[in-house]
Amino acid sequence: MKPPDPSSTVPTPREPPRNERAAALLAGGGTTGPLSREQIAQIVAAKRELAPILKGQKVAQRTAGGLISAGILTAILAFFGTFSITALVMGLWMIVAGFIEHWQGQHIHYLKPEAFTILIRNQLLLGAMFVILGLWWMLEVRWGWMSATEKKEIQSVITAMSSVGGGAGEVRSLITSIEYIAYGSIVILGLCGQGWLSFYYWQRRNLLKKYLVGTPEWIISLQRHDTV
């Protein structure tokens, strides 16, 4: 069998190493050739400084998954269980907030402070929704503003528990306490959970702004192109 002619063989394209790709990008800024040791040291230092900022992306992605999952479950229970418009609103809001979290979390990778700004607002609005709905449900329990279906279900629970022991008043008091604890937990979640996340994103936004000011533009360009 005759061996193939080397001159007729088409070479397989090879992706240039990171150092060459970085040099190619730098060529537009007047820097050519492979990176010097000093430039590599600058990149390493910049990546070390950037690491805690990019952790915000992982936090946003995990938060997005939790919000979407919890929102879907809440919406299903609100729609197919004891139908509640307010609970359905909460579930849908959580789903939308989760998608915003996921979308803006991806923009953090491109070093955009605006992404953190949107994440902060998203968490503040979500927290406000938790607080408002939690307080509203507590007022419903306090003043009896529940729907006829909810009142009927609570009464059936009271009747069932009273039949196995305990007075109706004691059972009603127990159910009311449980409702207050559940709705109060939602208020605390909005204040502490979403408040902490908003503060976390605010810190990361400030770090990113400081990083963009103090880091050479050519390094930022490389990082935004995912070259280093």
Side-chain angles (χ1 to χ4, degrees):
M1 181 177 178
K2 185 178 180 181
D5 184 5
S7 61
S8 63
T9 304
V10 179
T12 303
R14 180 180 63 87
E15 182 183 6
R18 284 181 175 269
N19 199 26
E20 294 180 17
R21 284 185 287 159
L25 280 175
L26 289 175
T31 304
T32 58
L35 297 177
S36 65
R37 289 186 178 181
E38 181 182 356
Q39 289 173 323
I40 294 175
Q42 287 179 313
I43 291 175
V44 171
K47 290 179 69 174
R48 189 181 301 114
E49 184 179 354
L50 187 62
I53 299 173
L54 293 182
K55 284 183 179 179
Q57 182 180 14
K58 295 181 179 179
V59 171
Q61 299 299 329
R62 292 171 183 170
T63 303
L67 283 174
I68 293 173
S69 301
I72 292 174
L73 180 61
T74 302
I76 291 175
L77 292 176
F79 190 81
F80 294 102
T82 303
F83 183 77
S84 171
I85 295 179
T86 50
L88 185 60
V89 168
M90 173 182 281
L92 295 177
W93 194 318
M94 291 170 68
I95 294 172
V96 172
F99 278 110
I100 293 175
E101 201 84 3
H102 176 76
W103 174 44
Q104 292 303 319
Q106 292 178 326
H107 284 71
I108 295 174
H109 182 75
Y110 299 104
L111 310 184
K112 295 183 177 181
E114 299 82 7
F116 282 117
T117 300
I118 295 176
L119 288 172
I120 292 170
R121 293 173 181 172
N122 188 45
Q123 289 299 323
L124 289 176
L125 289 174
L126 184 64
M129 183 269 295
F130 283 143
V131 171
I132 291 172
L133 289 185
L135 291 175
W136 172 258
W137 287 331
M138 293 175 75
L139 288 175
E140 281 187 337
V141 174
R142 175 66 179 84
W143 299 107
W145 295 341
M146 294 172 286
S147 64
T149 304
E150 291 175 323
K151 290 180 179 179
K152 184 178 179 180
E153 288 193 357
I154 291 176
Q155 186 59 45
S156 64
V157 172
I158 293 174
T159 303
M161 294 182 67
S162 299
S163 63
V164 296
E170 294 178 355
V171 175
R172 179 177 292 277
S173 177
L174 176 62
I175 293 176
T176 300
S177 299
I178 293 174
E179 288 178 321
Y180 276 132
I181 292 173
Y183 299 146
S185 299
I186 294 175
V187 174
I188 294 174
L189 173 65
L191 291 174
C192 298
Q194 272 51 58
W196 180 86
L197 272 174
S198 300
F199 178 70
Y200 176 84
Y201 290 143
W202 176 78
Q203 283 185 317
R204 293 304 179 273
R205 184 184 64 180
N206 290 344
L207 288 175
L208 179 55
K209 287 181 177 180
K210 181 180 177 181
Y211 176 82
L212 294 176
V213 171
T215 304
E217 185 62 34
W218 64 270
I219 294 180
I220 295 174
S221 177
L222 294 179
Q223 290 172 332
R224 282 176 171 164
H225 285 82
D226 198 24
T227 309
V228 295

